[in-house]
Structures are given as structure tokens and as C-alpha cells.
Amino acid sequence: MRLPKTIRQISVRRMRPLSEPEIRAAFVNRTKGEAKRLPVPRDLAEQPWTDLDYLGWRDPQAPQRAYLVTEWDGRPTALALRSPAPTSWQTRRGMCSLCLTTHPGGVSLMVAPRAGKAGRQGDSVGVYLCGDLACSLYVRGLRNPGVGARLHETLTLEQKIERTTTNLATFLTKVTTTP
């Protein structure tokens, strides 16, 4: 898979532990005031940072809202996401666009408002993600998605991680650049 030079140059690195203020300051598609009010996981110290390509979580008060933060282009970058209410077709097996894990009913269409003026005018970008936002753990075999959920591949673990981070960088680029 060969990406345009601009995407290849901007890499997603494995996560370093982030603090709540760092996460709140990293949102590119929310205002500072909105970022201040977003729920951030309370268990940041217990997260498996060395095994994460991004930290993802759902809003416990509003499960249709989700968030992710990653190290991108040398700095933390966070996105607010929306997930529409599940429909009957979502009970079928779906494949995550980032890690390529299949889940019966466990993949959600996540929509991120674009950064800046375009996002304020309602422009958004969608991607199919693992509903629990645990792509990094599925890729590394640290979480079991169920029977038949990970297709047999001849790629090494590092190649699978690189593919996942490249897919994430592509999504981040779509959200942060003007159409």
C-alpha cells in the first residue's frame, strides 16, 4: 500500500502516557470550551500505553460519542467522533477500517467533524472502527475479538501495526485538511 508523500511523511507513533490537560488541549475538531467539558478516562495511569497506537474511549453518559487521541506528527492529536444509533444491518459481521479486524456487530461507523470552518459548517469524515476502539490490542493479539475475527495473514506484527497506523494517519489527514 503506497500513500501520497504527504501522508507518509506524517507518522503516527506509539503512544506515550498523556495527562488529562494534554488530551484536552489536543482536540482538533472541538473548541477549547468543548474540550474542557469532554469526559476523559479516569484511569489514564493504568492504560497499556506501550501497546497503544491511539487511546480511544466512549462517553459513558452518551455512548454515541467517542474520542481518540494519538501521537501524530510529533504531538498529541485528538478527535471527537459520533456514532449513529445501531441499525439492523449492523448486526452483520463488519470490518474495522484501521486494524482490519472483523466483528459480528462490533464495528461502528464513526463520524468526525472536520477541523476548522468546514467542521463548523457540518462537513465530516466517516470511518468504520472497532466499536470498543481497541484496534491496537486486537492487532497485537492482546484482546480476542472472537472466532474468525482476525483473518490469517502473512504479515509480521510490525507490518500489521504499521498498516494500522498508516490507516489512522490517513483518517487524521482527512479530518484535518480542507476538502
Side-chain angles (χ1 to χ4, degrees):
M1 170 186 209
R2 196 100 171 123
L3 291 172
K5 186 176 181 182
T6 55
I7 294 175
R8 282 186 284 129
Q9 289 175 337
I10 301 173
S11 66
V12 174
R13 289 187 284 167
R14 295 219 182 111
M15 296 292 297
R16 64 177 173 82
L18 296 174
S19 66
E20 183 176 332
E22 285 178 299
I23 292 172
R24 291 188 186 284
F27 278 93
V28 296
N29 62 350
R30 287 292 178 248
T31 65
K32 287 182 183 181
E34 289 170 330
K36 253 186 178 175
R37 295 185 297 271
L38 295 175
V40 175
R42 295 176 190 250
D43 62 346
L44 291 176
E46 288 85 41
Q47 294 296 326
W49 293 103
T50 57
D51 293 319
L52 296 179
D53 304 307
Y54 71 88
L55 173 65
W57 70 97
R58 291 218 182 231
D59 184 337
Q61 302 300 318
Q64 75 279 11
R65 292 187 196 144
Y67 310 96
L68 69 82
V69 63
T70 190
E71 285 276 329
W72 189 49
D73 198 22
R75 66 188 197 294
T77 303
L79 298 177
L81 307 162
R82 293 185 315 270
S83 178
T87 59
S88 61
W89 69 266
Q90 287 177 312
T91 58
R92 295 183 190 166
R93 185 173 295 273
M95 181 179 281
C96 174
S97 298
L98 295 189
C99 67
L100 305 185
T101 299
T102 59
H103 299 270
V107 173
S108 300
L109 173 63
M110 301 279 185
V111 179
R114 286 190 184 267
K117 183 179 178 183
R120 289 188 297 274
Q121 293 176 341
D123 196 4
S124 60
V125 180
V127 66
Y128 287 96
L129 292 176
C130 294
D132 60 1
L133 301 162
C135 297
S136 302
L137 302 179
Y138 291 124
V139 167
R140 289 166 175 80
L142 300 174
R143 184 169 287 179
N144 183 358
V147 177
R150 292 291 307 170
L151 303 173
H152 175 73
E153 296 182 286
T154 57
L155 298 175
T156 65
L157 178 59
E158 283 302 315
Q159 290 171 322
K160 291 176 188 179
I161 292 168
E162 182 178 339
R163 178 183 59 202
T164 300
T165 58
T166 300
N167 292 341
L168 178 58
T170 302
F171 179 59
L172 290 167
T173 300
K174 289 177 183 178
V175 172
T176 58
T177 57
T178 55

